Amino acid sequence: MTTTRTFKTAKQNIYRNLVLRTARLALDDDEDLDRPESEYPFDDGYELFAAGLAIGFLNENRNEESRGNYSQDFIEIDNISNDEYREAINFVWELVKIRHDDVDETEAWEYARQYADAGVDKINREMEYRGEFDMIGLLSIFEGEWDETLEKLLQEEKLEEAEIDTL
C-alpha cells in the first residue's frame, strides 16, 4: 500500500514570513508586502519544506506537536512541478522510511512532516538570530552528517536483511 503524501505544515505563520508566494497569498487584494521581496529567502513553500525536512531529519528532531495542527492540504508531493524540490523530498522520504521501518508508510509520512516542521523552526530561529538566511552556513553545521546518517541507516538496513536471511 502506498500512502498519499500530502504537503502540510503546522508552521503556516513561518511560511508566511519566509516564503514570498505564501506571503502574497495571505494578502488582501489592496495590501502590499510590508518588506522588500529580497527579505523572503524562499520562493515557494516546497523549497522551504524540502530544506526543513532535510534539516529536521539530520537533527533527528521531530516536532510532535504538529500532529493534528496542520493547515490545509497544499498538494501531493508527486505533483510538485519543480523536480529539484520533489526529488529532494523523495530522497529524504526514503531515508525516513528506513529509519522508521517499524511503522507503516502513513505514520512514516507523519514523521516526515514532523521533521519538516522541526527543520522549518530551526531555519526560522536562524533567520531571527542572523537577520538573513544563510543556507550554506546552516548546512555547514551538518558537514559530514549526511555521510554518517546514510552509513548508519544503510548499516542498520543490512543488519535487518541479514537477520531476516537467518530466519
Side-chain angles (χ1 to χ4, degrees):
M1 180 184 96
T2 303
T3 190
T4 302
R5 296 175 305 134
T6 308
F7 169 41
K8 292 182 181 182
T9 182
K11 303 295 177 178
Q12 189 63 27
N13 58 330
I14 295 174
Y15 279 73
R16 197 170 27 256
N17 289 334
L18 300 181
V19 178
L20 181 59
R21 290 185 190 161
T22 306
R24 284 187 174 144
L25 288 174
L27 296 175
D28 291 333
D29 290 335
D30 58 344
E31 283 185 284
D32 198 9
L33 291 173
D34 61 346
R35 37 181 217 178
E37 290 182 11
S38 62
E39 290 187 21
Y40 292 92
F42 296 94
D43 288 332
D44 58 47
Y46 315 125
E47 182 181 20
L48 178 55
F49 183 87
L53 178 58
I55 290 167
F57 182 81
L58 284 173
N59 270 331
E60 296 186 39
N61 184 14
R62 292 186 293 129
N63 186 340
E64 295 177 31
E65 294 82 35
S66 291
R67 184 186 294 271
N69 293 311
Y70 297 113
S71 61
Q72 75 280 4
D73 293 358
F74 291 97
I75 190 171
E76 287 184 29
I77 299 304
D78 292 334
N79 293 333
I80 294 174
S81 60
N82 185 305
D83 290 339
E84 290 178 25
Y85 305 154
R86 187 180 61 253
E87 290 171 11
I89 292 167
N90 284 333
F91 174 73
V92 179
W93 163 238
E94 292 301 321
L95 297 176
V96 169
K97 288 192 303 186
I98 292 170
R99 180 179 282 166
H100 299 285
D101 66 344
D102 58 330
V103 300
D104 66 18
E105 280 195 0
T106 301
E107 188 64 15
W109 182 245
E110 174 64 35
Y111 293 167
R113 286 182 184 141
Q114 292 173 2
Y115 283 126
D117 277 359
V120 165
D121 273 336
K122 180 151 184 67
I123 291 168
N124 189 54
R125 285 191 305 273
E126 287 290 315
M127 284 288 300
E128 288 175 351
Y129 177 72
R130 298 187 188 286
E132 64 182 10
F133 181 65
D134 178 14
M135 184 67 166
I136 304 297
L138 188 57
L139 289 178
S140 70
I141 295 169
F142 301 111
E143 191 172 332
E145 290 287 326
W146 276 113
D147 292 340
E148 290 175 27
T149 300
L150 287 173
E151 188 175 313
K152 179 181 169 186
L153 289 173
L154 293 175
Q155 185 63 33
E156 289 172 6
E157 185 78 1
K158 287 178 186 174
L159 288 174
E160 288 176 15
E161 287 176 8
E163 290 171 3
I164 291 171
D165 289 342
T166 61
L167 294 178

